Amino acid sequence: MDGEAFRHWAHKAADWAADYRAGLRDRPVRAGTTPGEIVAQLPASAPEEAEPMADIFADFERILVPGMTHWQHPRFFAYFPANASPASVIGEFLSSAMGAQCLLWQTSPAATELEIVALDWLRQAVGLPEGFSGVIQDSASSATLCAFLTMRERALGFTGNRTGLAGRPQLRVYTSSEVHTSIDRAAWFCGIGDDNLVRIPTQGPLRSMVPQALEAAIQADKAAGFVPAGVVACVGGTSTGAMDDVAAVVEVAHRHGLFVHVDAAWAGSAMVCPEFRSLWAGVEQADSIVLNPHKWLGVQFDCSAHFLRSADDHLATLAIQPEYLRTHAHEGGDTGIVNFSEWTIQLGRRFRALKLWFVLRAHGLEGLRQMIRNHVAWSQALAARIACEPGFSLASTPVLSLFSFRHDPGDGRDGDAHMLALLQAINDGGQLYLTPTRVDGRLAIRFQAGSMDATADDVDAAFHIIRDTAHALS
Ligand SMILES: *Cc1c(COP(=O)(O)O)cnc(C)c1O
């Protein structure tokens, strides 16, 4: 593709993107595709000869777009949001246009230095004290895996990378039953193992880990010859928004010398609003915190912010400097050089700070706060409205913008089967997208408002669709 063709198709893509966003309300939120439908429309092998861009673009629109679920749809109330504000899309396009690798300071100095600055802006924006340093990870799952590796290495005196784990003490990590599966997988992948991920019971409406039970579990493990390594606290669990008491968890953990990682992947973005920060009080004492601007802060996926109270143990775990990556001109002394590939699992790194910087500037912190405040207020009002409807009940009360509900048709039908039928009918209607969860053993429908383009009218429409669909099934 020559320069003029690139210009032409980039313009075409920009026009398509603007039209796509403007027309989202007219599309069904969730794809109605059946499995294999897309594969059946695509050739089995790549073309030997170059094809015209016009044909490729036409097939994109004709075959692929109808098979997409529209995460930027204003009535996407499923899972958690994955907002891609137009400002972040432009930042991503520029990053993609330069196609730079940002593994070392030297391989793209501006990318490294902007990452430092943008994450420090974000640190201040969510109210973390000075001294925390940040790195952009591809996802919360990667940040959590890094935290588990650090827990492992601290507990093994930083020898595990060298010796492997055979014959070493059995390490233990503590968490609640409300955490995301990325915690389970981090325990698997770092070699600590699922059997050594100890689930502490929870209590209260926020389903918080019981600190006394954490203390008792650590003591029992020590007495039994295990080596406790760390604790993962949950700030905004995926199912019902569970919140651990971070201050209490840290107090117990640090008394035993354990590393504390806080998973605030979704809820962390809300901390740009000072009034929500009591939900993670004590976080300034945590050792590691992950929050995803790619969820609720409008930064196109992927952009996960990983903050460390001290980067020393993290770097002692992850950093390696082979000769071919050394940048001799910038070594020695206090050069202030940061090589972010030493902070992450993968070596190659994209210029993700650019889109974060675009979003923070284009919306301003006040714009982002207003968006989040709206989502929280609309969700809480909707929960109150649903709770008052005959046949409906809340399965979990709102935590920020997330709650879940049930409907009982009142004829003795199996509750779970009815909930699945209701969910399917709502989603098949195309005007909303909701997802299920299990609360206290029974199915419920989750609702979270988080789309940047959602309005109060969209949430109002959700109420009517949910109520009318339930009545139609009763
Ligand atoms: C979304 C989510 C994750 C996983 O985030 P990725 O960035 O997709 O890895 C982990 N924990 C919580 C609480 C989440 O909401």
Side-chain angles (χ1 to χ4, degrees), residues 412-452:
R413 239 180 287 172
D414 175 69
D416 283 5
H418 174 63
M419 290 310 291
L420 278 182
L422 174 58
L423 185 66
Q424 189 174 340
I426 291 170
N427 289 340
D428 286 351
Q431 296 201 67
L432 299 185
Y433 186 19
L434 302 173
T435 42
T437 189
R438 200 167 276 282
V439 183
D440 301 325
R442 291 164 56 211
L443 271 182
I445 297 181
R446 274 169 97 263
F447 180 96
Q448 67 76 30
S451 168
M452 275 191 129

Side-chain angles (χ1 to χ4, degrees), residues 148-172:
F148 267 77
L149 292 167
T150 303
M151 289 174 190
R152 186 192 81 190
E153 285 304 290
R154 276 176 94 248
L156 296 177
F158 297 93
T159 59
N161 280 341
R162 195 175 71 243
T163 65
L165 302 185
R168 304 306 303 271
Q170 204 168 337
L171 307 182
R172 300 286 246 191

Side-chain angles (χ1 to χ4, degrees), residues 282-306:
V283 74
E284 65 283 350
Q285 294 301 321
D287 300 291
S288 162
I289 303 156
V290 65
L291 61 98
N292 282 349
H294 70 226
K295 274 189 172 146
W296 203 5
L297 223 47
V299 185
Q300 189 264 11
F301 187 86
D302 50 353
C303 178
S304 184
H306 189 188

Side-chain angles (χ1 to χ4, degrees), residues 9-31:
W9 288 104
H11 278 291
K12 168 103 176 145
D15 285 340
W16 183 87
D19 291 341
Y20 169 76
R21 290 298 178 96
L24 270 175
R25 265 197 193 78
D26 301 329
R27 295 180 187 264
V29 192
R30 192 192 61 172

Side-chain angles (χ1 to χ4, degrees), residues 45-377:
S45 308
E48 294 294 337
E49 305 297 334
E51 296 190 70
M53 271 300 283
D55 293 358
I56 304 170
F57 209 102
D59 284 349
F60 160 71
E61 291 192 82
R62 183 176 62 85
I63 302 172
L64 300 179
V65 177
M68 294 302 289
T69 290
H70 304 291
W71 284 71
Q72 307 310 313
H73 198 296
R75 279 186 255 102
F76 182 98
F77 300 117
Y79 306 101
F80 279 136
N83 285 322
S85 71
S88 76
V89 174
I90 292 167
E92 178 73 2
F93 178 76
L94 299 178
S95 162
S96 168
M98 290 186 283
Q101 279 291 347
C102 310
L103 50 153
L104 308 174
W105 177 86
Q106 183 172 264
T107 63
S108 285
T112 298
E113 298 195 9
L114 185 67
E115 187 160 338
I116 293 171
V117 170
L119 282 175
D120 201 56
W121 288 7
L122 186 61
R123 172 190 68 73
Q124 297 170 53
V126 297
L128 291 175
E130 238 171 90
F132 273 91
S133 38
V135 55
I136 299 180
Q137 301 269 7
D138 56 12
S139 62
S141 303
S142 295
T144 295
L145 177 55
C146 289
F148 267 77
L149 292 167
T150 303
M151 289 174 190
R152 186 192 81 190
E153 285 304 290
R154 276 176 94 248
L156 296 177
F158 297 93
T159 59
N161 280 341
R162 195 175 71 243
T163 65
L165 302 185
R168 304 306 303 271
Q170 204 168 337
L171 307 182
R172 300 286 246 191
V173 175
Y174 308 85
T175 195
S176 84
S177 49
E178 295 293 323
V179 289
H180 188 266
T181 51
S182 56
I183 313 301
D184 304 56
R185 299 216 293 165
W188 302 353
F189 302 157
C190 76
I192 287 178
D194 215 27
D195 288 349
N196 296 306
L197 187 59
V198 182
R199 306 286 184 167
I200 306 299
T202 60
Q203 64 185 4
L206 289 176
R207 295 165 204 271
S208 322
M209 195 191 304
V210 181
Q212 296 82 355
L214 173 62
E215 172 71 39
I218 294 170
Q219 287 194 9
D221 277 353
K222 281 182 164 172
F226 295 113
V227 175
V231 182
V232 178
C234 176
V235 171
T238 318
S239 175
T240 62
M243 295 272 176
D244 286 333
D245 177 344
V246 178
V249 167
V250 166
E251 200 271 319
V252 173
H254 282 182
R255 191 146 28 79
H256 291 279
L258 307 189
F259 187 91
V260 178
H261 174 64
V262 174
D263 179 7
W266 160 66
S269 293
M271 304 309 168
V272 295
C273 304
E275 68 269 29
F276 299 134
R277 288 184 198 152
S278 59
L279 287 170
W280 74 353
V283 74
E284 65 283 350
Q285 294 301 321
D287 300 291
S288 162
I289 303 156
V290 65
L291 61 98
N292 282 349
H294 70 226
K295 274 189 172 146
W296 203 5
L297 223 47
V299 185
Q300 189 264 11
F301 187 86
D302 50 353
C303 178
S304 184
H306 189 188
F307 290 105
L308 298 153
R309 197 155 56 86
S310 157
D312 294 349
D313 290 347
H314 182 83
L315 290 173
T317 301
L318 296 178
I320 189 167
Q321 264 200 356
E323 192 59 34
Y324 56 81
L325 289 181
R326 290 184 61 190
T327 54
H328 297 272
H330 303 291
E331 282 178 11
D334 185 14
T335 56
I337 297 290
V338 176
N339 292 321
F340 274 125
S341 58
E342 298 180 352
W343 297 53
T344 56
I345 288 170
Q346 63 281 70
L347 175 67
R349 310 184 77 246
R350 304 187 310 109
F351 188 2
R352 300 189 191 94
L354 191 59
K355 59 193 176 186
L356 173 59
W357 185 66
F358 267 55
V359 168
L360 292 175
R361 293 186 61 184
H363 291 266
L365 295 177
E366 204 42 43
L368 296 170
R369 286 185 198 112
Q370 195 51 56
M371 170 192 71
I372 285 175
R373 284 177 181 140
N374 283 342
H375 292 153
V376 172

